[in-house]
Amino acid sequence: MERFRIAVPTLAVAVALTVVGPALFGQAPQAAPGQPAAVREEILVTASRMEQPLENSPVHTTVIDAARLEATAAMTVDDSLRQVPGFSLFRRSSSVVSHPTTQGVSLRGIGPSGVSRTLVLVDGIPLNDPFGGWVYWSRVSKESVDRIEVVRGGGSSAWGSAALGGVIQLLTRPDSQTRIGLLVEAGERATAGADLGVSGQRDRFGFSLTGNWFDTDGYQTLRRDQRGAIDVPAFSQHSLVGARLSGSPSDSLRLFVRGDDFSEDRGNGTAGTTNGTDGRSVGLGADWVTSGGASWTARLWGQNQDFASTFSSQADDRSSESPALDQFLVDSEAWGASLQWTSSARSESHALTAGVEARGTTGATNEDFRFVGDRFLNRRRAGGDEQLAGIFLQDNWSLGNRVALALGARVDSWESTDGVRSERVIATSAPLRDEHFADRDQTQLSPRLGVVVELGPTSRLRAAAYRAFRSPTINELFRPFRVRNDITEANAALEPETLTGAEVGVGVTSGRLRFDVTGFWNQLDEPISNVTLGLGPRTIAPCGFVPAGGSCRQRRNLDRTKVLGAELELGWRASSTWGFEASYLYDDATVTAAREVPALVGKRLAQVPEDQLAARVDYTPAGRFRGSLQGRYVGEQFEDDQNVRALADFVVVDLMVAYQLAERWGVFAAAENVTDEAFEVAASAEGLVTIGAPRLIRVGVRLRLAR
């Protein structure tokens, strides 16, 4: 494997430098499913807040179009994104049944944890949970997605906090596209789902409707030989309804309003461990062009969300369980507003963008703890407010025909206010703890410099350097949690994380070949990590009593971590029938300084494998049949900060075949994890191993009506 790690990036660099409807609802023309998006003549990306051609991006950017999404066996957006090098959730498991707080997304192994260090957007509006930063991937209807942009590297110069490791932008189909898309599917373990996307336009007004429903009995998440009487399949069910109305009163003005309602319920492997979420969001927007040609964009959005989760303590032989923590209400509200200006008809040398943005979040956890006999004795409330405000400026500067600079900077003000943690006896209301934390604020500067050099008609060299930051979430500051007997405490004294990074890469697009190789270096200062403080059974501050086999952890700032690596993407359309894609990531992520816990220096970051490899073959003959076979390899990684609990490497293979019955109707069959690999996704201190999703075979029908 060591030889493989060295050979792939070296060979990649060598190759790069060497290569230096007609009716009202007719069938809409589409690219061949699975065809690499980069073979298009031009792709415009927006995740940097300024629309620009893909080849002009100074950082590694991947674009996945709707046809490529449709051609994958994956049911969810996050599983579709696992083909992108460096994309991973906190846990290795799919979002289908995993706990929402484990669905934080990481790019390039930048400090993975339940919270995301990557900003996820839907049409410019954050999808990240306002309280905890994780992502509800089931809140996205795949039928509504037009394309996905994945931008690595610190994105705080454009988006501020949460874009520490990059930006993932999901762009929905425009209202001007008159279309009906419907998918209905069913599979093993009582799995069923439906996905709807409708859009249309009449005169100057447009609309879109989205809907998603899903239900599965799930699967046993604990390794077979460790299961006991209390273990049951982890189930999942959710529903989503969304709508958008848009209008153009004039040729220079477009207005829209959008909203959605989302609800889900999940079981987490035992009768006593469940969670549920109810959320609503609304967004308003305006885009207009002045008489001088400058364009303006205004956005206003709000979110309201309620989350609940129960945790239990299990007997050693898993014959029984008792309640350990009942987070009966974690409520949060968030809002955001932005105003952006882009210069008028772009001059030959400069294209300017500037803007202001503000966001606010209020949230608190209400929970019962210390279960004795048949009831909880104590109640806790912990939470606070967070405000962010920023101003940014970007300039794309052309220096002749072959060189372009991308300059950007943003200044953000972060405030944490009204932090509180109170605990009382439920029966008597007698206070046990009443802490009011001091308000804190900080100012962060996030600069960015990038350059793109055209080496020839088919190849480009790019380089970038940047600084980014992420403020701790309300969840990290104030909410404790528990996984089996492992207890993790909050920390109201957490400081924001800052990242300094650089990357250099070469991209080649020549005929049927698309090739990209990138080397990157990131240094993360004050990274927030779950630090192990001791093992049970005993009382350990600040966790309290820790059961046998359990551990006490607390979120703390380490001094410094380093992430050094290389990533490779290759796309080759061998013929009109066959296509091939592959991606590889080598990631060396280690702790380099930790004064409070010096034993962690030299340890690998938890949840970051050194190697990730994905490959895919597409078969798209001229007839009505098509198919794709894809696989991914994930190397060994550690569950814990002390590198004691290793999770073994694994390979998962997926298969999808489809047949077009008629112009508008098609059927498909998909198999995820064809070999039924029982791969490890988590390991507790007492040795219990959680496994990922087993083989799932499902069939479905697709309807496509388009004009």
Side-chain angles (χ1 to χ4, degrees):
M1 180 58 71
E2 187 66 32
R3 189 176 301 172
F4 175 66
R5 294 183 195 135
I6 297 172
V8 171
T10 304
L11 179 60
V13 173
V15 172
L17 296 177
T18 302
V19 176
V20 195
L24 179 61
F25 285 108
Q27 181 71 20
Q30 294 184 358
Q35 181 174 347
V39 300
R40 295 178 178 177
E41 291 184 4
E42 183 177 61
I43 298 175
L44 299 178
V45 293
T46 61
S48 64
R49 294 198 99 125
M50 177 184 288
E51 188 176 88
Q52 62 180 342
L54 175 62
E55 61 268 19
N56 289 351
S57 174
V59 294
H60 192 184
T61 303
T62 299
V63 177
I64 302 174
D65 62 12
R68 187 173 167 190
L69 279 175
E70 181 180 314
T72 65
M75 296 181 65
T76 62
V77 172
D78 60 293
D79 283 340
S80 300
L81 285 170
R82 291 183 188 275
Q83 294 293 304
V84 176
F87 175 90
S88 63
L89 300 188
F90 173 49
R91 300 293 186 196
R92 296 163 151 190
S93 56
S94 164
S95 67
V96 173
V97 299
S98 61
H99 198 278
T101 60
T102 68
Q103 295 174 29
V105 61
S106 172
L107 293 174
R108 294 176 173 170
I110 303 295
S113 65
V115 63
S116 290
R117 286 172 172 82
T118 297
L119 178 64
V120 182
L121 303 163
V122 178
D123 295 331
I125 295 177
L127 185 64
N128 302 71
D129 179 84
F131 181 82
W134 49 79
V135 179
Y136 286 92
W137 295 99
S138 50
R139 202 165 182 165
V140 178
S141 165
K142 286 184 68 175
E143 282 296 318
S144 69
V145 176
D146 183 57
R147 71 180 189 274
I148 303 175
E149 302 170 359
V150 182
V151 183
R152 290 82 151 176
S156 295
S157 63
W159 297 99
S161 180
L164 183 84
V167 179
I168 298 175
Q169 168 99 301
L170 291 87
L171 297 167
T172 60
R173 298 179 187 272
D175 296 343
S176 57
Q177 217 179 69
T178 302
R179 180 182 182 277
I180 297 177
L182 174 64
L183 180 150
V184 179
E185 59 185 337
E188 296 178 278
R189 298 184 289 280
T191 299
D195 210 333
L196 174 69
V198 179
S199 60
Q201 184 171 6
R202 184 175 181 85
D203 297 327
R204 291 184 175 271
F205 297 93
F207 75 95
S208 66
L209 299 173
T210 58
N212 182 270
W213 171 83
F214 177 79
D215 193 352
T216 181
D217 285 351
Y219 59 91
Q220 292 269 10
T221 58
L222 196 63
R223 199 172 68 193
R224 182 181 298 273
D225 63 303
Q226 297 179 330
R227 296 171 193 164
I230 64 172
D231 294 299
V232 297
F235 69 85
S236 176
Q237 56 188 39
H238 71 258
S239 62
L240 168 72
V241 177
R244 179 177 64 208
L245 296 174
S246 62
S248 299
S250 67
D251 292 338
S252 60
L253 175 63
R254 175 182 174 271
L255 306 171
F256 76 85
V257 57
R258 60 177 294 180
D260 70 50
D261 184 90
F262 171 75
S263 178
E264 78 167 14
D265 291 291
R266 295 172 181 262
N268 303 134
T270 70
T273 56
T274 62
N275 69 85
T277 303
D278 291 296
R280 298 144 293 277
S281 71
V282 63
L284 306 172
D287 303 289
W288 69 96
V289 180
T290 67
S291 58
S295 61
W296 290 83
T297 298
R299 296 289 184 267
L300 178 63
W301 57 268
Q303 296 180 7
N304 175 270
Q305 190 161 279
D306 298 329
F307 170 70
S309 186
T310 60
F311 304 84
S312 71
S313 176
Q314 298 101 24
D316 291 342
D317 62 359
R318 304 195 64 76
S319 61
S320 63
E321 63 177 334
S322 60
L325 182 66
D326 181 8
Q327 295 177 337
F328 59 87
L329 177 61
V330 181
D331 60 327
S332 61
E333 296 179 354
W335 63 270
S338 64
L339 180 64
Q340 180 176 321
W341 165 85
T342 301
S343 60
S344 57
R346 299 181 177 181
S347 67
E348 294 183 358
S349 58
H350 291 277
L352 296 171
T353 294
V356 294
E357 185 173 31
R359 298 197 300 269
T361 303
T362 297
T365 179
N366 298 273
E367 56 196 39
D368 292 339
F369 65 104
R370 198 185 173 202
F371 189 84
V372 178
D374 61 351
R375 69 191 64 184
F376 284 104
L377 300 185
N378 301 335
R379 178 161 293 177
R380 175 189 297 127
R381 177 175 175 81
D385 299 341
E386 187 174 78
Q387 299 86 36
L388 287 157
I391 181 170
F392 59 90
L393 174 66
Q394 296 183 69
D395 181 15
N396 284 358
W397 183 6
S398 298
L399 302 176
N401 296 326
R402 291 181 175 271
V403 181
L405 293 179
L407 310 172
R410 175 168 169 144
V411 177
D412 281 278
S413 173
W414 166 72
E415 287 185 300
S416 175
T417 61
D418 298 324
V420 62
R421 179 166 175 170
S422 63
E423 298 175 0
R424 63 181 177 85
V425 178
I426 295 176
T428 65
S429 295
L432 298 171
R433 181 174 183 172
D434 187 16
E435 292 182 277
H436 294 265
F437 304 105
D439 295 347
R440 295 188 295 143
D441 63 85
Q442 257 192 37
T443 299
Q444 295 281 348
L445 171 65
S446 303
R448 186 173 190 164
L449 170 64
V451 61
V452 178
V453 180
E454 185 177 323
L455 301 177
T458 62
S459 57
R460 284 173 171 78
L461 172 71
R462 64 175 187 277
Y466 36 78
R467 187 176 185 273
F469 86 103
R470 185 186 72 86
S471 59
T473 63
I474 296 175
N475 173 70
E476 290 173 303
L477 291 168
F478 307 116
R479 171 186 169 264
F481 71 93
R482 179 172 180 153
V483 178
R484 297 194 175 102
N485 289 332
D486 293 330
I487 301 170
T488 302
E489 268 288 336
N491 186 351
L494 291 173
E495 297 291 336
E497 303 172 329
T498 58
L499 177 144
T500 304
E503 64 182 79
V504 60
V506 174
V508 176
T509 304
S510 179
R512 299 179 182 273
L513 176 68
R514 172 178 56 88
F515 178 87
D516 201 293
V517 62
T518 305
F520 57 87
W521 166 83
N522 290 289
Q523 177 178 291
L524 195 57
D525 291 299
E526 300 294 333
I528 298 171
S529 180
N530 295 336
V531 176
T532 301
L533 303 180
L535 303 177
R538 60 192 175 97
T539 299
I540 305 172
C543 300
F545 180 75
V546 180
S551 64
C552 172
R553 300 175 182 173
Q554 186 181 33
R555 302 182 183 101
R556 291 191 177 184
N557 291 104
L558 301 178
D559 292 297
R560 186 173 300 115
T561 60
K562 176 202 67 177
V563 182
L564 180 67
E567 56 195 2
L568 166 70
E569 281 191 299
L570 173 67
W572 179 40
R573 196 70 190 172
S575 67
S576 59
T577 300
W578 292 97
F580 174 76
E581 294 185 9
S583 63
Y584 170 72
L585 172 72
Y586 170 68
D587 211 338
D588 179 20
T590 57
V591 177
T592 57
R595 283 171 294 179
E596 289 189 19
V597 197
L600 295 183
V601 175
K603 303 290 188 184
R604 287 191 53 79
L605 294 187
Q607 309 296 338
V608 181
E610 280 192 336
D611 301 283
Q612 296 181 63
L613 175 66
R616 170 174 163 161
V617 177
D618 291 292
Y619 178 60
T620 55
R624 297 184 175 187
F625 173 83
R626 69 178 186 269
S628 69
L629 178 68
Q630 61 189 50
R632 57 188 177 93
Y633 166 80
V634 178
E636 183 184 77
Q637 66 190 58
F638 292 103
E639 166 75 18
D640 63 321
D641 59 315
Q642 297 181 343
N643 292 185
V644 173
R645 292 178 249 167
L647 302 176
D649 59 351
F650 67 90
V651 175
V652 169
V653 178
D654 301 332
L655 174 67
M656 192 282 298
V657 294
Y659 187 79
Q660 198 70 22
L661 294 172
E663 185 180 30
R664 300 169 183 173
W665 291 92
V667 295
F668 69 91
E672 298 182 71
N673 192 2
V674 173
T675 61
D676 203 22
E677 174 84 0
F679 58 96
E680 301 172 349
V681 301
S684 69
E686 66 264 48
L688 296 176
V689 176
T690 303
I691 59 174
R695 180 174 53 238
L696 174 63
I697 299 175
R698 55 186 215 282
V699 296
V701 179
R702 281 192 175 98
L703 168 66
R704 295 286 187 274
L705 303 176
R707 183 180 179 183

